[in-house]
Amino acid sequence: MGLLDKAKAAAEQAATKAKEGVEDVQTKRDLSIAYGELGKTTYRLVEGGGLSNPELTPHVEKIRELESRSSGEPVMAGNTEAPPSDQPPAMPT
């Protein structure tokens, strides 16, 4: 096998590893988004009274606290509307 053949094989191997790395990062990103969506849905259900579990209470209280700090107004229990955002809507994936 000549030097160019070895270089070509090494480049192909590197490209394959890079592609696998990109796919792994994309999968982790998608998983993170899915967890975030699940969390938002869970929060809305807890706030609306459709879901109750003592394990969720500290997380819901933390979100209320953070929302209160970010908007300057406390979030009332039962309020299922998201606070207004000055950010544009997310692009679909």
Side-chain angles (χ1 to χ4, degrees), residues 24-45:
D24 187 46
V25 168
Q26 183 63 43
T27 299
K28 288 179 181 178
R29 181 180 178 274
D30 291 345
L31 183 58
S32 178
I33 290 169
Y35 274 123
E37 291 170 355
L38 175 62
K40 288 177 185 178
T41 301
T42 302
Y43 177 75
R44 283 194 305 268
L45 287 170

Side-chain angles (χ1 to χ4, degrees), residues 1-84:
M1 182 181 279
L3 183 60
L4 289 178
D5 290 335
K6 288 181 182 180
K8 182 178 176 183
E12 288 174 358
Q13 193 174 27
T16 300
K17 283 187 178 185
K19 183 178 178 184
E20 290 170 359
V22 168
E23 290 171 354
D24 187 46
V25 168
Q26 183 63 43
T27 299
K28 288 179 181 178
R29 181 180 178 274
D30 291 345
L31 183 58
S32 178
I33 290 169
Y35 274 123
E37 291 170 355
L38 175 62
K40 288 177 185 178
T41 301
T42 302
Y43 177 75
R44 283 194 305 268
L45 287 170
V46 169
E47 288 294 278
L51 181 63
S52 177
N53 186 302
E55 289 184 52
L56 298 174
T57 302
H59 304 291
V60 169
E61 289 174 355
K62 181 68 173 182
I63 290 171
R64 286 182 190 145
E65 176 190 337
L66 293 169
E67 284 183 341
S68 173
R69 278 196 254 159
S70 71
S71 67
E73 298 178 20
V75 176
M76 305 306 270
N79 182 6
T80 59
E81 291 183 29

